């Protein structure tokens, strides 16, 4: 099952993967804010408060994990962009050398 999931992710672009992770992070952040609001505004028993704090800790861990994944994907996206710019520059140089220098001879 995990292998199939990884194969599907390989076919997804980095930009769409970044968008997907940012959406998940946004949902986690909303859940965290809701839990914090509930913690501040409602009277909870000690057990309910502890459960809510545990849930908030889990959500914080998820947000941190998503932040790390996003940083990694953004770095990968930067490398791909630099590679594209380098290839475009090399292509432009070869185009200039072969087509504009032919006119000189």
């Amino acid at each position: 099952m995990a292998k199939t999931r990884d194969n599907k992710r390989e076919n997804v672009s980095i930009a769409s993967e970044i968008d997907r992770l940012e959406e998940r992070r946004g949902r986690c952040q909303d859940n965290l804010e809701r839990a914090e609001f509930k913690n501040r505004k409602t009277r909870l028993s000690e057990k309910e408060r502890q459960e809510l704090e545990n849930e908030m800790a889990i959500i914080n861990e998820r947000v941190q994990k998503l932040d790390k994944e996003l940083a990694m994907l953004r770095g990968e996206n930067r490398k791909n962009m630099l590679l594209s710019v380098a290839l475009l520059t090399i292509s432009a140089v070869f185009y200039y050398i072969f087509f504009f220098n032919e006119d000189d001879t």
Side-chain angles (χ1 to χ4, degrees):
M1 181 90 176
K3 195 172 193 180
T4 305
R5 198 174 193 190
D6 290 338
N7 287 341
K8 287 181 183 178
R9 283 191 181 173
E10 287 178 7
N11 296 331
V12 176
S13 72
I14 291 176
S16 60
E17 186 71 12
I18 289 173
D19 290 341
R20 186 184 69 78
L21 288 177
E22 284 178 342
E23 184 179 317
R24 283 182 58 198
R25 187 187 182 283
R27 279 185 271 148
C28 285
Q29 197 69 34
D30 289 343
N31 290 340
L32 183 61
E33 288 172 7
R34 238 180 271 122
E36 287 175 347
F37 180 78
K38 184 178 179 181
N39 191 21
R40 284 191 312 256
K41 296 296 180 182
T42 59
R43 288 191 173 262
L44 301 172
S45 68
E46 189 61 35
K47 181 182 177 187
E48 290 173 329
R49 186 172 302 279
Q50 186 62 38
E51 288 175 359
L52 189 60
E53 287 176 2
N54 289 341
E55 181 182 339
M56 289 169 45
I58 290 170
I59 293 172
N60 270 328
E61 289 174 13
R62 286 182 187 159
V63 168
Q64 289 173 355
K65 181 181 174 187
L66 289 170
D67 284 340
K68 287 178 185 177
E69 277 188 66
L70 281 167
M72 181 194 67
L73 285 172
R74 286 181 178 134
E76 190 70 30
N77 200 26
R78 243 180 259 111
K79 283 192 279 184
N80 287 344
M81 187 263 316
L82 288 174
L83 180 63
S84 297
V85 169
L87 289 174
L88 179 66
T89 303
I90 291 170
S91 299
V93 168
F94 279 123
Y95 179 81
Y96 176 77
I97 289 171
F98 288 118
F99 290 108
F100 286 112
N101 284 341
E102 281 183 8
D103 295 339
D104 294 340
T105 56

